Amino acid sequence: MNERERSVRGEAVRMEGIVKRFPGVTANAGIDLSLNYGEVHGLLGENGAGKTVLMSVLYGLYRPSEGQIYLEGNPVSIDSPAVAIRAGIGMVHQHFMLVPRLTVADNMVVGWETSRGPFLDRKRIRKRIKELSEQYGLEVDPDSAVEELSVGEQQRVEILKALYRGAEVLILDEPTATLPEQEVEAFFTTIRAMRDEGKAMVFITHKLREALTICDRVTVLRKGEKVGTVPTTDATEAQLAEMMVGREVVFEVQRDRVASEGRPLLQVEGLSAVDDRNVPAVEGVDLTVHDHEILGVAGVQGNGQTELVEAICGLRSAVQGHVMLNGEAVTGSSPRKMAEAGLVHIPEDRHRRGLVLNFSVAENAILGRQYEAPFAIGHVGQSKRAIAGYARELVERFSVVVPGVRTPARALSGGNQQRVILARELDRKPKVIVAAQPTRGLDVAGIEFVWEQLLAMRREGAGILLVSMDLDELMTLADRLVVMYQGKLVGEHRPGETDKQQIGLLMLGGAVETS
Amino acid sequence: MDVLSLDLLVVALRLATPVAFVALGELFSERAGIINIGVEGSALAGALIAGIVAHYSGSAWLALAAAVGIGMLLGFIHAIWCVYLRANHVVAGAAVNILVAGLALFLTVLVWDWRGRSASVVSLDPWILVWLLLVLVVVAQVFLFRTRWGLRLRVVGEHPQAADTAGINVYRTRVAYSVLTGALCGLAGAFLVNNLGRFTAGMVGGRGFIGIAAMVVGNYKPIPAFLAAYLFGFVDALQMRLQDVIPSEISMMLPYVLTVIVLAGFLGKANVPAALGKPYIKEQG
């Protein structure tokens, strides 16, 4: 193909010795990176390795403490995103930079408007968007509001936004993290189209398989330092994982077969619930979780999983149906009653439901048990000492990395925040655990930890309802697997007996195969 | 006497004018993400300075310019507090209100030796400002929804980080529109002085706050905000007529009662800018 064109256009960006210090932390310690036109360059590393910081430096969001950036060989100083945009650099942020209430077109052009005099030239804007979407196969309706779009569509808008501004260098910050598995392939097709156009792309990720699939070269960062750059043609997953983590990583999980006694712990019958807009989201769901069992719920995000979990845990009232815990009806009980009856909840949104970010680790560690002795003294008092002592014990047992239990939860990394939540919930010795996306956004070490904990609870006899978007996770952990599609459960499978494709099809509403 | 007449509609427009100026001003601030309850005080400051400048210079036009100027200064100070010093917007605005209320009593004593009111001063035909208002309302509507600057303003108030990554200077935008808010409040104050021919410390009388309410009822859009302000003006005009029929203590409550009722219906339904009242902190100093 355009091997010649690539070599003609050559190096797009060179970053030399980039150092970025924040008060108390060095996020980037002298990193070199070279990016060519017509290349997809993977930037790999665990959470906190400095990937996003490095790219924020390139996009002008951060000013480097030391180091130099060259664009096509010329030294440049990029001190604001406006400069980066003018230099042809675009960035698709992990958390989309889109205004939900505005239209696709308005979001795409803001700051870089096509206008006639002071007035927006909506006709020409629409035409240009159409041209771009056709060129790259990114279909969007310029006139619909962003809030009506799916995550995948919003990402298309973000990419088009960068292309609209004439980006030749494109930074993609964990673009697949929020993307449903089924849309990843289409997204890769777009990336390949852009590569063939000669764009230079940085693909930030911590998913090894994706890096090997889509990238030409991969640079691995660890704790702010560059470990190395390797061409993907002669790299393996194991090798990259070792570079990332600094030690060998075992991907197989020890899944000793524990025979279930077949005692149902959680029974849900005909459960229906509505979402926040009063639209039916869960429709007549039946499920049973037995002792020593992990029941996986697969599905594309937004098919009622959130509402199902909330309805089971007493956080959302059920329109119809029953929830039974260990044989007792608990439908509509308060979360406190649920927890006392032996059901705990690992919420999908750590920040909204899992922790009070401004509270200390110690306070978070007893949330939901604040009324129990020894944390409470009578009806009013609180024993700071008992709380801190208990929190220290949990921090120790669950190896939470934290300066002290008085540190606010906000200051912890995502993985450590999740450890605090797990510690708090699992230490209640629950019979049933409802875990919603427990590994979302975590790095390799964090995922390993959560998996181990869940399997340990299963070994001890707990029943676990595991809701996840990550099909690999479900295939690894679940004893049985159901798929949720448009509020209903479709099909039940045993991971060993079904392949991923079949389940992927069900997740998209494909025909239910009878076997 | 006929209570309802064409004349009533004209009087209503005049009574609505200061409210609408403030509503329009508040709209620009809030669209940029800044709450400014100091508009009440800013309008009073505009009136006060208009009165003083008219008194000493004898020029009503110079007084008008001074009113706009003091409004801009207060808007600028408010923006510095809210944007750079990250003060609580409501507290900062309340400070302006208290400061100006005190200043009004103090300066009237200094200048006219009367507590809280001025002698009569030269004034313009207030209809000049009414017409100016009508033009500005239409211009604002077009500006906000049809121009590149309006689009940027809306993005700054909804999602400052998105604006920042799109190359828009969030801080500068917020300061600029806060100054514009002050200018419009100054016009509201100048109108009151030109309308009455003198300054009194109670002349704003809650119209600044009602301007904020009108803007919310108008769902952060210029023309609807103007119509909401006009509704207030209409009820105000109506109550003056009704004073012949019912006790004035009761009738004078009407515009305010109306505001409470209408607001109760509209609050929560308005499309409040998502980043309203929240400081934007760039992650790096």
Side-chain angles (χ1 to χ4, degrees), chain A residues 20 22 59 61-63 81-82 85 93 96-99 101-102 106 109-113 115 117-120 122 161 165, chain B residues 142-143 145-149 151-152 154-155 158-159 161-168 270-274 280 282-284:
Chain A
K20 178 64 199 172
F22 292 106
Y59 192 61
L61 288 166
Y62 294 149
R63 221 177 279 213
I85 293 167
H93 299 263
F96 298 146
M97 295 297 167
L98 300 172
V99 181
R101 265 203 286 253
L102 295 188
D106 282 354
V109 303
V110 65
W112 196 263
E113 304 87 353
S115 40
F119 300 105
L120 293 167
R122 292 223 156 89
K161 184 173 159 186
R165 283 145 218 258
Chain B
V142 173
F143 177 88
F145 296 106
R146 301 258 171 239
T147 70
R148 43 167 36 172
W149 305 110
L151 176 60
R152 290 178 187 191
R154 285 182 288 146
V155 172
E158 286 281 348
H159 196 334
Q161 227 181 331
D164 196 9
T165 54
I168 298 163
N271 290 321
V272 183
Y280 177 59
K282 276 180 86 115
E283 278 172 45
Q284 169 190 16

Side-chain angles (χ1 to χ4, degrees), chain A residues 144-277:
Chain A
S144 52
V146 162
E147 61 194 345
E148 292 161 10
L149 304 184
S150 70
V151 176
E153 287 172 308
Q154 291 188 27
Q155 185 166 57
R156 273 178 246 161
V157 176
E158 277 281 33
I159 294 172
L160 284 170
K161 184 173 159 186
L163 295 172
Y164 193 96
R165 283 145 218 258
E168 289 298 315
V169 174
L170 209 55
I171 304 161
L172 305 161
D173 190 357
E174 304 219 14
T176 55
T178 45
L179 217 52
E181 194 131 351
Q182 292 67 33
E183 292 187 28
V184 171
E185 204 34 62
F187 171 69
F188 282 175
T189 309
T190 306
I191 294 204
R192 290 192 188 101
M194 292 193 289
R195 175 175 60 193
D196 294 344
E197 285 278 320
K199 309 263 187 225
M201 278 169 284
V202 177
F203 185 95
I204 303 180
T205 185
H206 56 240
K207 293 185 189 165
L208 303 167
R209 196 167 309 160
E210 288 179 357
L212 287 173
T213 311
I214 193 71
C215 299
D216 300 299
R217 285 191 295 167
V218 172
T219 293
V220 181
L221 302 186
R222 187 170 73 228
K223 291 182 181 148
E225 310 222 18
K226 175 172 166 177
V227 183
T229 300
V230 290
T232 48
T233 41
D234 42 57
T236 64
E237 260 185 68
Q239 182 194 351
L240 291 178
E242 202 178 324
M243 285 170 83
M244 251 167 82
V245 184
R247 63 179 163 84
E248 226 175 298
V249 181
V250 188
F251 279 101
E252 282 94 68
V253 178
Q254 297 297 320
R255 284 206 50 201
D256 31 329
R257 281 276 156 209
V258 193
S260 167
E261 294 159 20
R263 192 159 45 87
L265 290 181
L266 175 69
Q267 287 161 286
V268 174
E269 284 166 14
L271 190 70
S272 298
V274 293
D275 68 11
D276 295 337
R277 291 167 304 167

Side-chain angles (χ1 to χ4, degrees), chain A residues 312-510:
Chain A
I312 291 175
C313 297
L315 292 163
R316 180 179 292 272
S317 50
V319 177
Q320 258 180 355
H322 306 282
V323 179
M324 306 229 288
L325 191 59
N326 217 3
E328 274 177 61
V330 290
T331 322
S333 295
S334 68
R336 173 160 155 182
K337 288 250 165 56
M338 289 285 192
E340 283 170 350
L343 180 143
V344 300
H345 174 207
I346 314 286
E348 64 176 359
D349 189 336
R350 281 194 277 284
H351 294 167
R352 216 162 60 85
R353 289 259 201 232
L355 296 167
V356 183
L357 290 175
N358 289 333
F359 280 18
S360 69
V361 170
E363 286 164 323
N364 272 293
I366 61 142
L367 271 190
R369 300 176 68 175
Q370 68 283 353
Y371 57 90
E372 287 176 12
F375 311 130
I377 307 167
H379 286 289
V380 189
Q382 268 197 321
S383 166
K384 293 262 178 208
R385 184 183 306 184
I387 293 169
Y390 173 70
R392 267 193 287 273
E393 184 203 318
L394 284 188
V395 163
E396 176 91 11
R397 260 178 35 218
F398 286 79
S399 7
V400 185
V401 181
V402 58
V405 294
R406 283 194 298 190
T407 311
R410 182 181 297 284
L412 271 60
S413 72
N416 282 308
Q417 289 177 342
Q418 190 71 337
R419 279 171 199 245
V420 172
I421 296 171
L422 278 175
R424 176 182 74 210
E425 300 303 333
L426 302 189
D427 194 51
R428 306 187 76 151
K429 304 277 179 286
K431 296 190 197 77
V432 174
I433 300 159
V434 178
Q437 303 203 47
T439 58
R440 178 154 79 172
L442 300 189
D443 56 25
V444 178
I447 293 171
E448 258 184 344
F449 180 82
V450 173
W451 287 4
E452 277 167 19
Q453 291 298 324
L454 291 179
L455 288 170
M457 292 306 291
R458 168 176 169 274
R459 210 158 32 234
E460 285 169 27
I464 299 171
L465 183 67
L466 174 65
V467 177
S468 180
M469 306 293 134
D470 184 348
L471 206 43
D472 289 324
E473 172 170 273
L474 291 168
M475 298 296 261
T476 312
L477 294 180
D479 297 291
R480 285 184 300 135
L481 196 55
V482 289
V483 176
M484 193 154 188
Y485 178 71
Q486 293 190 347
K488 297 194 177 76
L489 294 188
V490 287
E492 183 185 313
H493 300 269
R494 292 188 179 274
E497 298 158 10
T498 335
D499 63 6
K500 260 177 85 172
Q501 266 69 32
Q502 213 175 341
I503 292 178
L505 198 65
L506 283 174
M507 286 164 67
L508 290 173

